[in-house]
Amino acid sequence: MRFAERREAILDRIALHAHGKAELIAVSKMVEAKRLLEALQAGHHVFAENYVQEAKAKWPALRARYPDLRLHLIGHLQSNKAEDAVALFDRIDTLDRPKLAATLAGAMRKLNKTIPLLIEVNIGREPQKHGCMPEDVAALLQLARGDYGLKVEGLMCIPPAAQDPKPFFTACAALARQHQLATLSMGMSADYVPALQAGASEIRIGSALFGARPA
Ligand SMILES: *Cc1c(COP(=O)(O)O)cnc(C)c1O
């Protein structure tokens, strides 16, 4: 199946489970430029990448042809790549610690470019995963907005693998509501329907749009 058909099928599900109100973000890690062009030509304009270096190699040339495309960073961000990330992306979804808030604020000042952020929440409290613990979201939000003047628009989460994702989506949605955050990025190829049902405002879809990634 081609990108356009896969996209239509997912948009149908968004219509069914979220009244068409959630945004479809195409996760394009390990997808080559030729296939990104196919996606852009099919009318899709919002993408997400996991790695700063990979995005830097793929996207500037595509942006020159499609100036209205939007690119989000959804992978862990090391402080030493913050400046590159601010230069390259339209939103960073992985703010997860106070030091990164400080570094991003400095990078935005230096580049004279302001981009919005999401806080990545470690909603399953998994020790091996990145993300802010749920109970630390309030403090990080306060610090990012109050101390650094950053524009935090919402939350992003990935529930633990091999467990029912529903309670984690519900918990993340409650956290977003509690902090009056409008953007809630949750749900991937395998679990986007329950994410939509729990109130995701956007879903991040890779393999269901582009096919399986090479292992
Ligand atoms: C890879 C990735 C996705 C997309 O995963 P699929 O299962 O291919 O849809 C979504 N979010 C994050 C953070 C990812 O790393």
Side-chain angles (χ1 to χ4, degrees):
M1 232 195 301
R2 300 179 59 81
F3 179 90
E5 292 164 59
R6 289 174 157 149
R7 176 171 182 263
E8 282 310 313
I10 297 167
L11 291 177
D12 283 349
R13 287 241 172 78
I14 293 176
L16 185 64
H17 298 289
H19 310 287
K21 286 204 194 91
E23 185 162 42
L24 171 58
I25 315 287
V27 175
S28 50
K29 59 175 169 236
M30 297 171 88
V31 176
E32 55 186 339
K34 185 165 62 84
R35 299 179 63 217
L36 299 178
L37 203 53
E38 182 196 345
L40 286 158
Q41 282 161 351
H44 196 83
H45 286 183
V46 193
F47 296 85
E49 289 278 351
N50 285 63
Y51 304 103
V52 175
Q53 286 312 112
E54 183 182 344
K56 209 174 172 177
K58 286 181 350 195
W59 284 97
L62 292 165
R63 231 193 238 285
R65 293 177 64 176
Y66 290 90
D68 67 335
L69 74 79
R70 282 183 290 140
L71 190 59
H72 299 171
L73 177 66
I74 58 170
H76 181 67
L77 179 57
Q78 292 168 284
S79 289
N80 63 3
K81 301 239 171 69
E83 214 174 296
D84 275 351
V86 168
L88 200 56
F89 290 94
D90 301 294
R91 198 181 74 196
I92 293 171
D93 296 2
T94 50
L95 172 62
D96 65 352
R97 57 199 191 278
K99 178 169 175 257
L100 185 59
T103 308
L104 284 170
M108 289 187 212
R109 249 194 326 273
K110 186 169 166 197
L111 297 174
N112 195 24
K113 178 185 180 193
T114 304
I115 58 170
L117 308 170
L118 301 186
I119 290 177
E120 179 182 3
V121 185
N122 187 346
I123 199 67
R125 312 181 54 85
E126 296 172 278
Q128 82 283 9
K129 251 192 202 160
H130 294 293
C132 177
M133 287 299 170
E135 65 273 21
D136 297 332
V137 167
L140 183 57
L141 193 55
Q142 165 91 36
L143 179 87
R145 285 175 165 171
D147 293 28
Y148 298 118
L150 293 168
K151 200 169 163 224
V152 183
E153 292 185 337
L155 304 179
M156 189 272 260
C157 77
I158 307 170
Q163 280 187 57
D164 179 4
K166 279 189 205 120
F168 299 101
F169 290 149
T170 304
C172 202
L175 202 54
R177 251 194 327 274
Q178 183 192 330
H179 294 291
Q180 295 174 307
L181 293 162
T183 303
L184 182 55
S185 171
M186 57 187 197
M188 320 200 321
S189 292
D191 59 13
Y192 70 88
V193 169
L196 290 169
Q197 289 166 338
S201 69
E202 55 190 61
I203 55 176
R204 306 179 309 269
I205 307 296
S207 48
L209 273 173
F210 293 109
R213 285 181 291 274

